[in-house]
Amino acid sequence: MAKYLLLKHYRGGPAPVNDVPMDQWTPEEISAHVQYMSDFAGRLETTGEFVDGQALAPEGTFVRSDGEGRPPITDGPFAETKDLIAGWYIIDVSSYERALELAGELSAAPGAGGKPIHEWLELRPLLTVPPTITE
């Protein structure tokens, strides 16, 4: 089994086919989208492929150390994740091909007009510790 991150973006990637921003959707369209995501996670829970999934709030701050004894510095000249990342799923699947299959399914979540978004998702493997070689 291998773990993958399915990363949903607000922006920063190619535009989805159904490119209507969520703040322009009706309450019913938002409910249908959230239900699709919940159903997707539920199916993966039954197959043992679901690890975690979260939507992110729009608030967020970049933080870094400014040295010992000094308060941390916030913000900077960066594109903030609060503007880019909408949420994620972590899946544990048998192959890269299965991860691609699930990413394609998630990409088809409904959006405006009840039509699939066909959004681009970022699929990234989680780093694992290399096997220890003993002699």
Side-chain angles (χ1 to χ4, degrees):
M1 299 294 277
K3 290 182 181 168
Y4 289 87
L5 174 68
L6 296 173
L7 194 56
K8 297 177 64 60
H9 293 272
Y10 285 120
R11 62 187 176 102
V17 173
N18 187 356
D19 195 17
V20 177
M22 189 179 249
D23 63 0
Q24 296 176 21
W25 297 2
T26 67
E28 294 79 16
E29 291 166 343
I30 293 170
S31 292
H33 181 80
V34 170
Q35 186 63 54
Y36 184 96
M37 306 299 272
S38 178
D39 292 346
F40 178 81
R43 284 192 313 277
L44 296 185
E45 284 177 345
T46 63
T47 63
E49 296 172 307
F50 181 82
V51 175
D52 187 33
Q54 301 292 324
L56 297 173
E59 301 83 26
T61 304
F62 264 98
V63 179
R64 75 168 175 86
S65 167
D66 195 32
E68 189 173 330
R70 300 186 61 168
I73 295 175
T74 60
D75 285 327
F78 316 111
E80 296 194 35
T81 57
K82 68 183 180 186
D83 297 327
L84 301 175
I85 301 172
W88 74 84
Y89 283 89
I90 296 176
I91 57 174
D92 193 358
V93 294
S94 59
S95 66
Y96 175 72
E97 290 73 21
R98 176 66 176 152
L100 287 175
E101 178 184 337
L102 292 173
E105 183 179 334
L106 187 58
S107 169
K115 296 178 182 172
I117 299 171
H118 296 293
E119 68 181 321
W120 290 90
L121 299 173
E122 186 175 352
L123 177 64
R124 295 182 63 181
L126 299 185
L127 278 178
T128 59
V129 177
T132 303
I133 299 174
T134 58
E135 295 184 40

